């Protein structure tokens, strides 16, 4: 009997810990008290622990031994964690995208930023075929305007989207920016290139090509 109570106590304790990690991790990251990856790790750990303890609690409840508050909390955490994880089912396991897999816009300024020092910021060639299979509709935006106006429009849209512009070179038609996720504060680097249309028949028609590289 004491052994059963002891195990129930441990389940309750770990259920509460799982719930705390599941909430506190994202909260600390959102407040920028810890790095996003740390907050995400705490969140994921809480979800995994909640899933394990939740399953154990359901089994014990089926045997007539009850959930306990910690067990019920673990079940709730496990269900939410599975629901969030299932949203990625069937989605290609790539984080980087470009509108031009053949000649993706390259990063020049982003490679100098502290978080990217030592990283290969080029678009992974292995992703090109995967992207063509999943995202065939991803293509450059086309603008009927001269190069200066097309670039100005591109930069204006980037700022309207809440991106932080880190490099702006109108003469080269190159723009770099950073997107920051609201919750965990993850940074994605974005390169935008303004080029005349390849056929050259319409000099006032430009393509806005983009590469997005996950941080």
């Amino acid at each position: 009997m004491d052994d059963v109570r002891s195990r129930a106590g441990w389940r309750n304790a770990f259920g509460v810990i799982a719930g705390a990690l599941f909430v506190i991790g994202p909260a600390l990251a959102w407040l920028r008290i810890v790095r996003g990856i740390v907050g995400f790790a705490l969140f994921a750990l809480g979800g995994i622990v909640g899933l394990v303890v939740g399953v154990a609690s359901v089994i014990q409840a089926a045997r007539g031994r009850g959930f306990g508050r910690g067990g019920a909390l673990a079940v709730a955490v496990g269900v939410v964690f599975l629901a969030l994880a299932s949203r990625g089912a069937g989605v290609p396991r790539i984080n980087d995208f470009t509108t031009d897999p053949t000649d993706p816009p390259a990063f020049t300024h982003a490679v100098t930023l502290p978080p990217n020092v030592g990283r290969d910021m080029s678009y992974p060639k292995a992703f090109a075929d995967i992207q063509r299979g999943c995202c065939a509709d991803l293509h450059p935006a086309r603008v009927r305007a001269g190069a200066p106006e097309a670039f100005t429009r591109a930069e204006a849209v980037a700022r309207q989207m809440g991106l932080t512009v880190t490099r702006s070179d109108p003469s080269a038609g190159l723009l770099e920016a950073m997107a920051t996720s609201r919750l965990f504060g993850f940074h994605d680097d974005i390169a935008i290139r303004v080029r005349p249309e390849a056929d050259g028949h319409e000099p006032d028609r430009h393509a806005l090509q983009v590469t997005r590289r996950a941080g």
Side-chain angles (χ1 to χ4, degrees):
M1 189 68 176
D2 289 340
D3 184 52
V4 172
R5 289 178 178 175
S6 176
R7 281 181 290 179
W10 278 109
R11 283 198 309 276
N12 282 328
F14 276 105
V16 171
I17 291 172
L21 292 175
F22 198 68
V23 174
I24 291 175
L28 292 177
W30 180 67
L31 293 170
R32 304 301 185 252
I33 295 175
V34 300
R35 294 178 58 194
I37 191 64
V38 175
F40 182 79
L42 293 174
F43 162 79
L45 179 60
I48 293 171
V49 172
L51 190 60
V52 173
V53 174
V55 170
S57 297
V58 169
I59 293 173
Q60 292 305 309
R63 294 175 178 175
R65 295 173 183 173
F67 271 110
R69 292 181 179 178
L73 179 59
V75 170
V77 168
V79 169
V80 173
F81 185 66
L82 278 179
L84 293 174
S86 66
R87 293 172 63 183
V91 177
R93 301 302 181 189
I94 58 175
N95 296 317
D96 308 320
F97 295 87
T98 182
T99 59
D100 188 353
T102 304
D103 181 21
F107 295 96
T108 55
H109 177 72
V111 296
T112 67
L113 300 177
N116 298 327
V117 173
R119 287 186 63 202
D120 179 5
M121 293 295 292
S122 60
Y123 175 77
K125 294 181 179 179
F127 288 0
D129 288 337
I130 299 175
Q131 183 184 304
R132 290 188 183 98
C134 74
C135 314
D137 59 340
L138 189 59
H139 52 73
R142 289 174 170 79
V143 180
R144 288 185 179 276
E149 183 180 348
F151 186 88
T152 299
R153 288 187 191 180
E155 183 169 355
V157 170
R159 294 185 187 279
Q160 289 171 7
M161 292 176 63
L163 304 182
T164 300
V165 175
T166 57
R167 179 200 179 197
S168 179
D169 188 347
S171 61
L174 299 174
L175 180 74
E176 292 187 41
M178 181 184 296
T180 303
S181 64
R182 293 182 181 180
L183 184 56
F184 289 104
F186 290 132
H187 297 300
D188 284 3
D189 292 292
I190 299 169
I192 302 173
R193 181 176 62 204
V194 179
R195 275 187 173 177
E197 286 281 41
D199 56 22
H201 295 308
E202 297 184 68
D204 285 340
R205 186 179 173 94
H206 288 75
L208 308 183
Q209 301 164 328
V210 180
T211 295
R212 182 165 186 148
R213 192 86 162 82

